[in-house]
Amino acid sequence: QKEVEQNSGPLSVPEGAIASLNCTYSDRGSQSFFWYRQYSGKSPELIMSIYSNGDKEDGRFTAQLNKASQYVSLLIRDSQPSDSATYLCAVNRPGTYKYIFGTGTRLKVLA
Amino acid sequence: DTAVSQTPKYLVTQMGNDKSIKCEQNLGHDTMYWYKQDSKKFLKIMFSYNNKELIINETVPNRFSPKSPDKAHLNLHINSLELGDSAVYFCASSQVGFSGNTIYFGEGSWLTVV
């Protein structure tokens, strides 16, 4: 089992729809969770971080965390073509220096 | 003012050569990393230094040698380059110590071995 798993996609959604990206992780000790967006040929950039169970909203983005089920998700409302990118999930266990990344989900928003 | 900067951005070199990639961060972070991203976009950690001390050394060939002259700099030297070394190498930094600290990436160094 991979430490952090994501569906590689591509996930195609029409413009204006909600895109739902999922991530599962294996280390129950993980406490910090991050979503990064990576455009082709660019470096990963942070979209959101989440540390507590439940939802966290930031503009059109909502991160959802369920530690009991060991999954974290990212919802993108009113998807735009500019949201087309690869979304990387990352987890970190407190006191460690390791940030483990998933393989990413490629999102395509169709105009 | 770039937070994590690495050079060169593009590097094309022949098999067997030795090359270095340099990284600097001006965020005041204690921890720096090298990640390798392959063609399938998988970001795999290679090394991490905390205050100039090597703390993570994943299963990376001995041909790869990191060096941290101070906590703001982390360089990567690669000996006897092989075709399989072609990838994007990302430098990153974070301030680890408590939950909630983000890892910030440099712009990447695209290495092509021919």
Side-chain angles (χ1 to χ4, degrees):
Chain A
Q1 181 188 8
K2 290 181 182 175
E3 293 179 272
V4 179
E5 293 206 57
Q6 295 180 254
N7 189 320
S8 61
L11 172 66
S12 295
V13 299
E15 184 175 357
I18 296 175
S20 178
L21 305 162
N22 299 312
C23 171
T24 59
Y25 59 95
S26 60
D27 183 359
R28 284 196 172 274
S30 299
Q31 295 291 329
S32 302
F33 306 88
F34 307 88
W35 282 102
Y36 284 81
R37 176 177 61 200
Q38 187 176 23
Y39 291 113
S40 181
K42 300 293 184 182
S43 61
E45 55 178 333
L46 180 73
I47 299 176
M48 291 193 70
S49 55
I50 186 166
Y51 316 107
S52 304
N53 280 330
D55 295 0
K56 179 182 178 183
E57 188 174 319
D58 184 0
R60 295 186 296 111
F61 299 96
T62 298
Q64 299 174 318
L65 175 61
N66 184 322
K67 291 182 183 177
S69 301
Q70 293 176 248
Y71 84 78
V72 56
S73 62
L74 180 70
L75 300 178
I76 306 174
R77 289 182 299 281
D78 188 23
S79 296
Q80 302 297 308
S82 59
D83 295 326
S84 298
T86 296
Y87 289 80
L88 300 166
C89 172
V91 304
N92 173 250
R93 175 190 269 265
T96 72
Y97 299 91
K98 232 182 197 184
Y99 293 75
I100 307 298
F101 285 80
T103 52
T105 298
R106 190 169 152 226
L107 173 66
K108 295 173 83 171
V109 180
L110 308 171
Chain B
D1 197 21
T2 306
V4 183
S5 59
Q6 51 184 112
T7 56
K9 185 165 184 178
Y10 300 102
L11 188 54
V12 180
T13 188
Q14 290 187 326
M15 282 175 56
N17 283 350
D18 303 338
K19 290 294 177 186
S20 292
I21 307 172
K22 295 186 176 181
C23 179
E24 176 182 3
Q25 55 96 2
N26 62 7
L27 296 167
H29 290 165
D30 290 335
T31 308
M32 295 185 71
Y33 308 80
W34 280 110
Y35 278 84
K36 178 181 179 181
Q37 188 170 48
D38 59 26
S39 57
K40 295 184 179 178
K41 292 285 194 180
F42 180 51
L43 261 175
K44 182 174 171 55
I45 190 166
M46 300 173 68
F47 302 103
S48 178
Y49 273 75
N50 179 258
N51 277 319
K52 302 192 296 177
E53 181 184 347
L54 181 66
I55 53 171
I56 294 175
N57 186 350
E58 293 294 288
T59 50
V60 176
N62 290 338
R63 299 181 294 104
F64 290 79
S65 53
K67 276 195 182 157
S68 181
D70 55 60
K71 74 174 193 177
H73 295 83
L74 179 61
N75 304 322
L76 182 66
H77 187 76
I78 314 170
N79 288 326
S80 303
L81 279 155
E82 301 178 357
L83 293 176
D85 298 332
S86 296
V88 185
Y89 292 85
F90 286 103
C91 178
S93 74
S94 72
Q95 187 65 20
V96 178
F98 54 93
S99 287
N101 282 306
T102 303
I103 185 169
Y104 295 91
F105 287 89
E107 294 187 339
S109 294
W110 270 252
L111 172 64
T112 302
V113 182
V114 297

